[in-house]
Amino acid sequence: MTDKLDLTLLATGVPGLDTILGGGLPELSFNIIGGAPGSGKTTFCQQIMFALASPSCKALFFTAMGEPPVKMLRYQQQFEFFDFDKVGTAINFISLAPAVETGNYDAVLTQIREEVRAHSPSLVFIDSFRSFVQGAKGDQTQVAALQLFVQQLVTHMTGWNATTFLIGEYLANEADQNPIFTVADGIIWLNQDVQRNAMARKIQIIKMRGRRQRAGLHAFRMTNAGIEVFPRVLAASEPTGSGLVSRAPAGRISMGLPVLDEMLGGGLPAGYSVLVVGPSGSGKSMLATAFVAEGVRQNETAVIALFEKTPSQMLNNQLDLLVQSGKVAVLNMRTLDLSVDETLHELETMIDSIGATRVVIDSLSGFELALSPEYREDFRESLYRMTTVLSEKGVSLLMASELEDRANELRFSPQGSAFLVDAIIMQRYVESDAQLHTVISVIKVRGSQHSRQLREFRITDAGIEIEAGPARFRNMLRMGDGAS
């Protein structure tokens, strides 16, 4: 046999799932869907079923000792993917509970085989297959009968001209103990983790024969529309060849403030990520507004992702006009229990929809707070993935972040993230002659000369003013220095 057999891939109808499956679900595969109770297994499978089922692609959904079909359908029909017209025609629900409860596995197998023979389905689901195992009570004869039943069922399932699914409350460590996992073509795990008052849902492709699936845990969310998966975004691999490819700036863009452009060495290199750090009230959001406004003046479009303010709080008169012009889109991301991949998915969707070349995240501090506690543990690694992916899209990224102004140390970034960005602009408070002043300085611009002077930064009725020369104060102290 020399001809290569290409697998036919089925579009699952679950947004994001085909991506992590490596293009779709292999047709005629035998799959196990596992996870804890309440993790979304039944909804997950029914969303796939309703997406694929048609008069020429019929589906059978067997229920064992789980929910009766009537009760299950009462809740599943609340999802937008549920199609009443397919029930009883393209999709049939069949209860195995009476035969399972008696422990008569021969009768269960016979019923399954007869229904499959009668309907000739292209899709077969058994929910919950774990019920058979839990029903194995009694002497060794009954346990042996169950094992024989499982072997026969799997043999029949692999022989049917159908894509099949076994659904159950399996635990991750059972994959090494239960022989049924060995013969499965695909194993998909759904997890939910509750920490404090937050819940994170994740999906993992443990196994998928014949496909290169996307590794790792991927966030998913369940809404009225059903389940949506947010694939773990990875930066593109470095091109191979003779050595590393240097990243040369493709020109420079203005920050909207001529003095700041001069401090940066002629503006921000296009496609760079810049971190604006400073204490509360120092003017970070005002700098972000100037950055966006300048882009609009240059006929560019921009996206602003808000994590700690509502749009009404963020939108001053100037920014409000920019939004009304259609050149600026605002993404309100204040919802808690987010994942970085979900956030990046929303950002990329909006960037692509308006062709944005400038992006503002206000702020990283609010972003971290909006994440589920489980995702906060990997916040630094997530920032790296996010900045890299946005950089690959060619957008210029400005991120504001709260940085506590401490008298006994000088820090340039929160979470040790200075190396993740291409440029850093820092604001600080100083005391002079019983007044509080703000100074601004450029800490870093990768691959470029820049000013290291401290310049006085003021917010006036006319907007932002930055002194053209270095700041000079009498009796200048950093906040807290020399206090008595």
Side-chain angles (χ1 to χ4, degrees):
M1 182 177 178
T2 59
D3 294 336
K4 178 182 177 181
L5 177 63
D6 292 327
L7 291 174
T8 299
L9 300 180
L10 305 176
T12 61
V14 178
L17 178 59
D18 294 345
T19 299
I20 66 174
L21 285 173
L25 189 70
E27 188 179 27
L28 307 183
S29 57
F30 162 40
N31 305 281
I32 294 177
I33 312 299
S39 57
K41 300 181 301 299
T42 299
T43 300
F44 176 79
C45 288
Q46 292 209 10
Q47 188 168 345
I48 295 174
M49 179 176 66
F50 276 96
L52 292 174
S54 67
S56 60
C57 181
K58 294 184 178 181
L60 288 182
F61 197 98
F62 293 98
T63 60
M65 293 179 64
E67 300 171 306
V70 173
K71 180 183 177 182
M72 178 182 58
L73 292 177
R74 182 186 307 154
Y75 293 100
Q76 290 298 312
Q77 66 186 254
Q78 307 304 315
F79 291 104
E80 294 175 8
F81 63 75
F82 194 94
D83 187 347
F84 284 97
D85 294 335
K86 291 186 176 182
V87 178
T89 55
I91 297 173
N92 285 280
F93 293 89
I94 299 166
S95 176
L96 300 173
V100 172
E101 290 172 357
T102 63
N104 188 342
Y105 300 114
D106 289 337
V108 174
L109 185 60
T110 299
Q111 183 180 0
I112 293 175
R113 292 173 58 188
E114 289 178 352
E115 296 290 354
V116 169
R117 188 181 300 110
H119 293 90
S120 298
S122 300
L123 304 165
V124 176
F125 301 80
I126 300 179
D127 184 13
S128 155
F129 186 74
R130 183 69 182 271
S131 299
F132 294 110
V133 179
Q134 293 174 331
K137 299 187 290 282
D139 56 25
Q140 291 299 317
T141 302
Q142 189 173 11
V143 174
L146 172 63
Q147 292 175 343
L148 178 61
F149 162 76
V150 170
Q151 294 172 3
Q152 291 177 332
L153 177 62
V154 170
T155 300
H156 286 297
M157 292 181 73
T158 54
W160 295 334
N161 193 30
T163 307
T164 56
F165 302 81
L166 296 184
I167 311 163
E169 286 75 36
Y170 296 105
L171 301 177
N173 58 8
E174 289 187 55
D176 298 329
Q177 304 171 2
N178 195 325
I180 196 173
F181 291 92
T182 304
V183 297
D185 301 310
I187 303 174
I188 302 175
W189 237 260
L190 280 68
N191 306 301
Q192 60 179 4
D193 182 55
V194 178
Q195 292 190 14
R196 299 180 182 176
N197 295 322
M199 181 174 69
R201 294 181 184 269
K202 296 181 180 181
I203 185 172
Q204 182 179 11
I205 310 301
I206 303 292
K207 173 184 179 181
M208 190 58 61
R209 281 179 175 157
R211 306 304 304 162
R212 182 182 178 183
Q213 68 271 21
R214 187 168 297 191
L217 295 169
H218 309 274
F220 74 92
R221 186 171 290 272
M222 190 182 301
T223 66
N224 289 337
I227 286 175
E228 181 174 4
V229 177
F230 302 96
R232 185 170 178 267
V233 179
L234 301 174
S237 301
E238 289 284 351
T240 57
S242 56
L244 294 176
V245 177
S246 62
R247 178 183 167 199
R252 292 179 180 257
I253 62 174
S254 173
M255 296 289 293
L257 300 164
V259 176
L260 183 56
D261 290 340
E262 177 264 319
M263 295 173 67
L264 287 165
L268 181 72
Y272 267 29
S273 57
V274 56
L275 182 64
V276 179
V277 295
S280 178
S282 59
K284 300 183 295 296
S285 295
M286 291 289 289
L287 271 178
T289 300
F291 175 73
V292 169
E294 179 62 24
V296 173
R297 280 192 290 270
Q298 300 297 330
N299 201 33
E300 298 180 56
T301 51
V303 171
I304 302 175
L306 301 178
F307 289 94
E308 62 180 38
K309 301 180 182 71
T310 63
S312 61
Q313 292 171 328
M314 174 68 178
L315 297 182
N316 50 45
N317 292 335
Q318 179 188 17
L319 200 52
D320 192 28
L321 292 174
L322 297 176
V323 172
Q324 292 179 20
S325 73
K327 293 284 188 180
V328 178
V330 177
L331 189 61
N332 185 12
M333 302 295 294
R334 297 183 77 217
T335 305
L336 297 179
D337 302 347
L338 295 172
S339 70
V340 171
D341 295 305
E342 183 176 357
T343 302
L344 190 52
H345 170 80
E346 297 293 336
L347 264 177
E348 286 192 292
T349 299
M350 187 164 283
I351 289 169
D352 294 339
S353 68
I354 68 171
T357 55
R358 299 192 183 206
V359 174
V360 168
I361 294 179
D362 190 11
S363 68
L364 288 185
S365 310
F367 183 15
E368 184 178 14
L369 182 62
L371 294 175
S372 170
E374 184 173 354
Y375 297 117
R376 293 176 200 166
E377 297 176 0
D378 301 321
F379 186 59
R380 188 173 162 196
E381 179 265 342
S382 300
L383 278 181
Y384 167 76
R385 292 194 290 116
M386 184 178 70
T387 55
T388 303
V389 170
L390 291 179
S391 175
E392 289 172 351
K393 294 183 73 67
V395 301
S396 301
L397 173 65
L398 184 150
M399 299 181 289
S401 185
E402 187 92 1
L403 190 62
E404 185 180 351
D405 201 4
R406 298 179 182 177
N408 60 348
E409 64 178 55
L410 184 62
R411 293 188 301 150
F412 299 139
S413 69
Q415 297 99 11
S417 56
F419 76 98
L420 299 176
V421 294
D422 302 305
I424 299 175
I425 298 172
M426 185 177 68
Q427 295 170 299
R428 289 165 45 195
Y429 287 133
V430 296
E431 299 175 61
S432 178
D433 295 329
Q435 290 190 25
L436 191 61
H437 302 267
T438 305
V439 294
I440 187 171
S441 57
V442 176
I443 304 301
K444 166 186 174 182
V445 181
R446 183 168 284 147
S448 173
Q449 292 185 345
H450 59 87
S451 170
R452 292 190 179 276
Q453 293 178 340
L454 294 175
R455 308 284 184 95
E456 187 172 5
F457 178 96
R458 292 186 295 267
I459 298 176
T460 68
D461 292 338
I464 295 175
E465 292 182 359
I466 301 177
E467 287 292 332
R472 288 183 172 86
F473 300 110
R474 292 182 302 165
N475 306 319
M476 185 177 74
L477 298 171
R478 284 198 65 194
M479 287 289 292
D481 287 345
S484 61

